[in-house]
Amino acid sequence: MKLYKKRKLYSVILFYLYMVALCYFLFFAEFFGRVDTGREYYYNLQLFKEIYRFYHYRHILGMKAFLLNVVGNVVVFFPFGYFLPMMTKRCKNFLFVTILTATTSLCIESIQLVCKVGSFDVDDILLNTLGGMIGYLIYRVHQLWFRRQIKRKGMGNNERYKSEKN
């Protein structure tokens, strides 16, 4: 199997495994409070409200809660922005990946709102989108590094094209 097709196949498999794990943790994981405990449902429509609240009360809530909420929402979407450009040419555009990440995050938050699982939070949409953008940038840096490695080995454009397609 050619290197390009193998890479695309692996990225598709890893992306779908990531999406299954993401859905589990967002909708079913008891650790993250995804079980109906009879509590009143909470949602946030004010940008930066929850980020500020977690930062302001970090000494009470603990640094772990702050990092889990703020940094966790960014990090969890790194793979989304990283794997999309590997899977399809349409997703090689930064703006397209950003919009797709924001839309996906909005869908997830809306499902949480309708199903009353977790909480709908516009800050999560912002942080998830930022994570997808960073994942895309990591992908681009990885691509530049890969191309430099090929040049360093002394391959010309034709040989590099053949190695990427093989």
Side-chain angles (χ1 to χ4, degrees):
M1 185 181 271
K2 296 180 180 181
L3 178 63
Y4 175 77
K5 288 188 177 188
K6 275 186 184 178
R7 206 170 96 196
K8 185 174 180 176
L9 177 64
Y10 292 147
S11 64
V12 168
I13 291 169
L14 288 173
F15 182 77
Y16 284 112
L17 288 173
Y18 158 75
M19 291 302 290
V20 167
L22 184 67
C23 287
Y24 170 75
F25 286 113
L26 290 175
F27 300 113
F28 304 109
E30 292 179 22
F31 176 75
F32 293 106
R34 305 303 188 226
V35 181
D36 183 22
T37 59
R39 69 176 173 92
E40 186 174 319
Y41 186 74
Y42 177 78
Y43 59 91
N44 171 37
L45 302 176
Q46 182 181 347
L47 196 57
F48 300 113
K49 180 180 177 183
E50 285 299 301
I51 295 171
Y52 175 76
R53 186 176 71 86
F54 270 91
Y55 178 76
H56 186 71
Y57 295 108
R58 70 188 178 281
H59 60 283
I60 296 169
L61 298 170
M63 195 55 131
K64 182 180 177 182
F66 172 75
L67 291 175
L68 188 63
N69 186 359
V70 177
V71 177
N73 274 308
V74 173
V75 171
V76 78
F77 266 77
F78 280 2
F80 194 85
Y82 184 83
F83 287 121
L84 279 177
M86 289 181 159
M87 294 176 16
T88 177
K89 290 180 181 181
R90 174 184 258 176
C91 291
K92 294 206 186 287
N93 180 301
F94 179 76
L95 183 60
F96 186 81
V97 170
T98 301
I99 292 170
L100 192 59
T101 304
T103 304
T104 302
S105 182
L106 176 63
C107 288
I108 289 169
E109 294 295 319
S110 298
I111 291 169
Q112 287 181 334
L113 178 65
V114 170
C115 296
K116 295 184 178 180
V117 176
S119 63
F120 182 92
D121 189 354
V122 293
D123 291 344
D124 288 354
I125 296 170
L126 173 72
L127 294 170
N128 294 160
T129 303
L130 180 62
M133 294 165 70
I134 293 170
Y136 178 84
L137 294 175
I138 292 170
Y139 162 78
R140 295 298 295 167
V141 167
H142 179 250
Q143 289 300 103
L144 290 172
W145 177 82
F146 182 70
R147 288 182 182 139
R148 283 192 180 163
Q149 292 300 325
I150 289 173
K151 281 184 181 179
R152 186 174 288 154
K153 291 180 182 178
M155 293 183 197
N157 285 337
N158 290 338
E159 290 149 356
R160 182 176 70 216
Y161 177 76
K162 288 177 187 175
S163 72
E164 286 180 356
K165 292 292 183 180
N166 291 333

